[in-house]
Amino acid sequence: MTERPGVKAYISDGLEALQLVGRLSWHRNITAWLYVPVGVLIILLACFGVNSLIGLSSVTFPASVALLVALFFGLIICDLVIGDRRTRELVSVIDIPAGWALRYISLFFTPSFVLLPLSPPIGGVEVGKIIAVFLVGFLVVFTVTAWLARGLQLILGSSKRGIIQRAEEMGNEDDNIPLAESRQSRQNSEITIPSEMSTPGPNSGTSTPGLLAGDVSNSLIAPQRAQDPSRIRGTGGPPESDNTIHAPIVLNPALQALLPLTRPQKWASFINRNFDRLTYTFIFLFIGFPIYYRTGYAMPAQLTFNVLAYFAALSLPPKWKQVLHPVIVSAAITLLGIYIMGLINGDSLDETLHSYKTGTNYLDLWYGEKNLPMPGAGDTFGSVLDASIVALALPMFSYRQELRRHFFAIVIPNVAVSIGSLFGYPALCYAIGISSTRSLAFASRSLTLALATPATKNLGGDVNTNAALAIMSGIMGVLIGNRILEWLKIPEGGLDDYVTRGVTLGGNSSAIATTLLLATDPRAAALSSLSMSLFGIITLALTSVPPIVKAIDFLVDLEPEG
């Protein structure tokens, strides 16, 4: 009869498992919990400096977007002055915090949905009008963008030049971007503990497509999935677990049958795969809860619960996520969870939501304003979102050759649709009886939320309505985007139409559609990533010009602030 292990054996095995996890993932954890926070802090300090400079003038412009543009052109100048290799080394350092900010950008959007109950009440008739304008407007603008991009391709003849140039550059290489990469070169009897790395280390490759990826120096750590344009998007997120290599142990085939996994090895594999989830669960239970119910400060508990809800949303099957987007699902879970926590603490829903976002961001704190409430979880996410906006400079730099090659086919549709949306949507919505602030929310309907939020604020529109419209635009692009392109006679994955597909889906459905393009046309996915960034910057730049803002506000009988 097999003797059951005692408590001491479990404790010993647990300690051994923790030692194994520490030895194999220490570099990742230092990167995730030291390098990334310090890097994000440096980015926000740079935003603070740029905001201070902008404050010396009469111009109103988000510091994060100004820094984005400055970083993009700065990297181009570095490439010309110090060369490609050194510029790539510089980018690989910037990518440590910037890549993290881009992978988790969807998480930073959830406050807009969590705070929806605080929005002014809206009648059923107005809801119907909003839905009607959204559906008809999506179809019309989508079609106009596709025809405009396609027409420019035919007029300029850039499609044929692009095919020839790609053939010269790539030879017989495959155009597909690998979705997963499994390298199993290991020493005999060495154990691999796979890691769903929340943050790549300096030696694990960059998270921005098009950048130089280094080799993994620690052969015991499973390699990350190959990065792709879906990582660099406005409503995207971290590498999802549905394509993760789940085999927890890789052994030499000759020894595999002879060396079964020990209990510490199994535990270490589980801990390493779920390290982030376990860490945030520990903080939530043993730090956030006690602080919340002893002092009343809700941020640690609400923030960690929001992160855990986002991880739970990411675990849904891929087909479900095409409709149940992680931002919406995680926001719903967060809203329910913090509401229950508030009830336990004796707080109403309004009080709970006001503690979730108190209105104090990093700029307020660093300017030294007095009598400010402590920032909440929503304020923290909103502050880090500025770092995500700056990080969009990296994919733009990666695709700078595509921008140069197809400059007019990318820029002209984005400018036309941006101007049309800014002046067309508000006027139409207001004319049929939609309120002024919600009419203005339509102006940046198809932007990625990272740029739609400041653009809507510049106009004085309803940010919560805009967040819902932006996410639904992405979901619509996933559900019917390809079918509309088929109706418009634009073949899926066509060699001469990848620019059209990328510009159309990127400009109308931002990051969510980029993920769809990755599986069907990776080149279009790259152009989609670039298009959504440019479209957002163009719209945000226009909404930062006071005469333009005044003209748009006049269309909805709204007096601009100031």
Side-chain angles (χ1 to χ4, degrees):
M1 175 178 284
T2 304
E3 184 179 354
R4 296 183 64 181
V7 176
K8 290 185 178 180
Y10 281 111
I11 295 176
S12 176
D13 289 346
L15 293 175
E16 184 179 346
L18 292 177
Q19 290 176 355
L20 185 58
V21 170
R23 188 172 73 250
L24 296 180
S25 61
W26 68 270
H27 190 273
R28 183 203 73 168
N29 293 329
I30 288 178
T31 300
W33 298 97
L34 180 61
Y35 296 162
V36 166
V38 170
V40 170
L41 181 62
I42 292 174
I43 293 175
L44 295 182
L45 282 171
C47 288
F48 174 71
V50 172
N51 189 75
S52 299
L53 292 175
I54 294 176
L56 299 177
S57 66
S58 59
V59 178
T60 302
F61 196 80
S64 56
V65 180
L67 187 58
L68 182 158
V69 176
L71 179 59
F72 173 67
F73 286 105
L75 290 174
I76 291 178
I77 294 173
C78 286
D79 189 51
L80 296 174
V81 175
I82 66 176
D84 179 71
R85 183 178 63 83
R86 291 184 178 179
T87 302
R88 286 174 180 267
E89 292 175 354
L90 173 63
V91 169
S92 67
V93 174
I94 300 174
D95 187 66
I96 295 174
W100 175 88
L102 288 173
R103 285 193 302 279
Y104 284 90
I105 193 172
S106 292
L107 174 62
F108 310 142
F109 298 148
T110 54
S112 297
F113 287 89
V114 174
L115 297 171
L116 278 176
L118 294 179
S119 299
I122 179 173
V125 174
E126 188 172 357
V127 170
K129 293 176 180 179
I130 290 174
I131 294 175
V133 172
F134 171 79
L135 293 176
V136 175
F138 180 87
L139 294 175
V140 172
V141 176
F142 193 96
T143 301
V144 170
T145 307
W147 280 346
L148 186 56
R150 176 62 174 155
L152 288 169
Q153 286 289 97
L154 295 175
I155 293 172
L156 300 175
S158 57
S159 298
K160 294 181 180 179
R161 290 199 304 270
I163 296 173
I164 296 173
Q165 288 171 346
R166 288 196 306 275
E168 292 175 349
E169 293 172 358
M170 304 184 68
N172 295 323
E173 292 182 7
D174 189 4
D175 283 331
N176 291 328
I177 297 176
L179 297 180
E181 180 181 356
S182 175
R183 292 179 293 173
Q184 298 182 349
S185 56
R186 300 288 185 268
Q187 299 294 330
N188 290 346
S189 74
E190 285 184 339
I191 299 172
T192 296
I193 305 296
S195 171
E196 292 181 45
M197 300 178 68
S198 63
T199 308
N203 297 324
S204 63
T206 60
S207 60
T208 305
L211 303 180
L212 181 63
D215 295 329
V216 178
S217 60
N218 187 349
S219 62
L220 295 181
I221 298 178
Q224 288 182 276
R225 295 192 298 162
Q227 297 298 325
D228 53 60
S230 69
R231 300 294 187 275
I232 311 303
R233 44 190 165 82
T235 54
E240 297 164 339
S241 60
D242 49 277
N243 286 328
T244 304
I245 302 171
H246 291 290
I249 299 298
V250 178
L251 296 175
N252 184 289
L255 300 178
Q256 189 168 5
L258 301 177
L259 296 176
L261 292 182
T262 64
R263 187 165 56 209
Q265 290 169 351
K266 293 179 181 178
W267 290 356
S269 177
F270 173 81
I271 293 172
N272 215 44
R273 287 198 310 271
N274 299 278
F275 189 86
D276 295 330
R277 294 169 176 82
L278 293 173
T279 301
Y280 280 103
T281 301
F282 178 86
I283 297 174
F284 172 69
L285 293 176
F286 299 103
I287 298 178
F289 248 47
I291 292 177
Y292 187 20
Y293 293 112
R294 180 172 290 272
T295 68
Y297 185 44
M299 190 276 284
Q302 292 179 346
L303 186 145
T304 50
F305 185 83
N306 201 154
V307 173
L308 292 171
Y310 184 68
F311 283 141
L314 287 179
S315 65
L316 293 174
K319 290 184 178 179
W320 290 22
K321 282 185 287 189
Q322 291 182 0
V323 179
L324 299 175
H325 193 269
V327 172
I328 299 176
V329 175
S330 60
I333 297 173
T334 300
L335 179 59
L336 178 61
I338 65 175
Y339 174 56
I340 294 173
M341 287 190 289
L343 287 178
I344 296 174
N345 200 43
D347 298 331
S348 66
L349 178 60
D350 282 0
E351 291 173 333
T352 299
L353 292 179
H354 281 105
S355 68
Y356 179 80
K357 187 172 184 180
T358 64
T360 302
N361 61 22
Y362 71 102
L363 291 175
D364 298 324
L365 294 174
W366 289 348
Y367 276 122
E369 298 185 19
K370 298 181 180 180
N371 300 322
L372 290 173
M374 293 288 287
D379 303 294
T380 303
F381 289 142
S383 296
V384 181
L385 182 60
D386 274 5
S388 299
I389 295 174
V390 176
L392 287 171
L394 297 190
M396 291 180 61
F397 176 73
S398 299
Y399 301 133
R400 62 194 182 281
Q401 298 301 328
E402 294 293 335
L403 174 61
R404 179 187 59 81
R405 183 181 302 165
H406 306 287
F407 180 81
F408 292 105
I410 295 173
V411 174
I412 291 178
N414 282 321
V415 172
V417 173
S418 177
I419 295 175
S421 297
L422 285 173
F423 289 93
Y425 269 124
L428 173 63
C429 291
Y430 187 71
I432 64 174
I434 299 176
S435 67
S436 298
T437 55
R438 294 191 179 99
S439 297
L440 292 172
F442 270 89
S444 49
R445 186 255 326 157
S446 57
L447 270 65
T448 179
L449 269 178
L451 299 175
T453 299
T456 304
K457 289 181 178 179
N458 287 347
L459 295 174
D462 185 355
V463 176
N464 294 326
T465 300
N466 174 258
L469 294 173
I471 292 295
M472 290 308 301
S473 296
I475 294 174
M476 286 286 290
V478 171
L479 294 178
I480 64 173
N482 274 333
R483 184 163 298 180
I484 297 176
L485 290 172
E486 290 175 2
W487 292 341
L488 298 176
K489 306 301 180 182
I490 298 175
E492 183 173 353
L495 284 175
D496 59 340
D497 284 318
Y498 76 100
V499 176
T500 304
R501 302 178 67 80
V503 171
T504 303
L505 286 168
N508 286 274
S509 301
S510 64
I512 303 177
T514 303
T515 305
L516 173 68
L517 284 174
L518 180 67
T520 59
D521 194 341
R523 292 160 304 170
L527 269 295
S528 178
S529 177
L530 180 59
S531 180
M532 72 179 188
S533 300
L534 286 177
F535 183 50
I537 292 172
I538 291 169
T539 303
L540 185 54
L542 292 174
T543 60
S544 299
V545 179
I548 294 179
V549 174
K550 186 177 295 185
I552 297 172
D553 287 342
F554 176 78
L555 296 175
V556 297
D557 289 340
L558 186 70
E559 286 292 331
E561 294 184 3

